[in-house]
């Protein structure tokens, strides 16, 4: 017998569900603040990793996961056949590829929106969505009254520049704390990322207007969207000028 679900909580209703915690998954959670695929917090319930396919036979036997894309293979291909055009050509090619990916994700029969946090990834996503739409799209943002944690002001600037129908909601500390009791049921597994609460709140906000909302992760890591990346060149210059013996001492 083979069973699958998009939410782990659905298995709780199965008569054979045991709910035994996987000790290895607990160790991974303490290391990574989440339980990464293909591991699961429960024994006997592996997760299908993103970008992978499993084939089920008529007898209910599942094949091993087959990835649709391998980062190592892509890196080797890029090394063997590097992009040889100009920087501007590279920018145009990236814009074309990202735009095509976003347009594919916008094919939906349900009302469509987007999460906008003001960073490189979500701002790029919303900009590409707006360029592919004849009408103003609907991005959604969550704001905090504490300036150190508030990204809504950046999102508002991006939304105004793009001419979208932007919605934002500023929440209080009490409203944030009210979400805490529901987190185990929302995420099904231990999950310690601080973004989980604003993600839930912005999803609630979006659900009032749309049933599908696009998000984008990884852009800040790929394109230097965090402040710490600004120090990269200074660190690199320091490393080049530091004697090897002294450098090894710092590493220790």
């Amino acid at each position: 017998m083979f069973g699958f679900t998009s939410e782990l909580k659905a298995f709780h209703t199965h008569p054979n569900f045991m709910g035994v915690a996987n000790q290895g998954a607990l160790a991974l959670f303490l290391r990574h603040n989440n339980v990464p695929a293909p591991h699961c917090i429960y024994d006997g319930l592996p997760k299908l990793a993103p970008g992978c396919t499993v084939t089920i036979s008529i007898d209910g036997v599942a094949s091993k996961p087959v990835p649709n894309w391998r980062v190592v293979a892509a890196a080797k291909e890029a090394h063997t056949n590097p992009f040889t055009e100009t920087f501007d050509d590279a920018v145009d090619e990236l814009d074309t590829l990202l735009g095509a990916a976003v347009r594919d994700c916008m094919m939906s029969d349900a009302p469509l929106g987007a999460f906008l946090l003001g960073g490189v990834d979500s701002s790029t996503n919303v900009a590409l969505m707006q360029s592919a739409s004849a009408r103003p799209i609907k991005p959604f943002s969550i704001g905090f009254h504490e300036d150190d944690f508030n990204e809504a002001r950046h999102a508002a600037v991006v939304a105004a520049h793009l001419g979208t129908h932007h919605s934002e909601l500023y929440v209080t500390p009490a409203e944030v704390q009210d979400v805490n009791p529901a987190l185990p049921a929302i995420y099904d597994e231990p999950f310690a990322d601080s973004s989980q609460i604003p993600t839930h709140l912005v999803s609630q906000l979006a659900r009032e207007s749309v049933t599908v909302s696009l998000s984008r992760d990884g852009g800040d890591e790929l394109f230097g969207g965090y402040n710490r990346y600004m120090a990269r060149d200074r660190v690199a210059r320091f490393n080049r000028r530091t004697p090897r013996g002294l450098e090894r001492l710092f590493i220790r």
Side-chain angles (χ1 to χ4, degrees):
M1 183 178 63
F2 178 86
F4 68 95
T5 178
S6 60
E7 291 190 327
L8 190 56
K9 61 177 67 69
F11 281 121
H12 294 185
T13 63
H14 195 282
N16 295 332
F17 176 74
M18 301 298 293
V20 177
N22 185 302
Q23 299 300 312
L26 285 173
L28 288 170
F29 165 68
L30 295 174
R31 179 182 300 174
H32 301 293
N33 292 333
N34 66 87
V35 181
H39 306 280
C40 177
I41 194 61
Y42 295 121
D43 279 333
L45 292 177
K47 286 184 289 201
L48 182 62
C52 292
T53 302
V54 167
T55 302
I56 312 300
S57 71
I58 195 170
D59 299 321
V61 178
S63 69
K64 291 184 178 180
V66 177
N68 301 322
W69 179 81
R70 295 179 183 271
V71 65
V72 174
K76 289 181 178 179
E77 173 64 21
H79 181 73
T80 304
N81 300 299
F83 189 84
T84 57
E85 306 300 324
T86 66
F87 178 82
D88 289 339
D89 291 332
V91 171
D92 292 339
E93 179 68 12
L94 177 61
D95 182 69
T96 298
L97 293 174
L98 289 178
V102 169
R103 287 192 297 274
D104 287 344
C105 293
M106 292 177 66
M107 297 177 62
S108 174
D109 295 330
L112 184 68
F115 295 158
L116 179 59
L117 304 179
V120 172
D121 40 17
S122 64
S123 298
T124 301
N125 183 47
V126 170
L128 291 170
M129 289 178 66
Q130 186 58 71
S131 67
S133 176
R135 297 177 297 177
I137 64 169
K138 298 179 179 180
F140 302 89
S141 303
I142 287 293
F144 300 95
H145 298 285
E146 296 78 12
D147 288 340
D148 290 343
F149 302 99
N150 184 34
E151 297 180 339
R153 60 183 183 275
H154 304 299
V157 171
V158 172
H161 174 73
L162 297 175
T164 65
H165 283 168
H166 183 227
S167 298
E168 64 179 17
L169 173 66
Y170 275 74
V171 295
T172 66
E175 290 173 316
V176 172
Q177 292 174 0
D178 287 343
V179 178
N180 286 333
L183 291 177
I186 293 171
Y187 290 100
D188 290 340
E189 289 186 301
F191 183 53
D193 194 312
S194 59
S195 67
Q196 59 184 308
I197 293 178
T199 298
H200 172 66
L201 293 172
V202 75
S203 298
Q204 281 189 321
L205 174 65
R207 187 62 183 87
E208 296 175 2
S209 304
V210 300
T211 52
V212 177
S213 191
L214 301 188
S215 181
R216 182 65 61 95
D217 286 320
D220 287 318
E221 287 78 7
L222 288 172
F223 301 112
Y226 292 117
N227 290 336
R228 59 178 175 269
Y229 295 139
M230 298 175 65
R232 184 196 62 176
D233 291 337
R234 294 195 297 270
V235 173
R237 288 196 299 269
F238 175 79
N239 288 339
R240 287 194 296 267
R241 297 171 182 173
T242 303
R244 288 295 178 86
L246 186 60
E247 183 178 297
R248 286 194 293 269
L249 180 62
F250 283 146
I251 294 175
R252 291 177 183 173

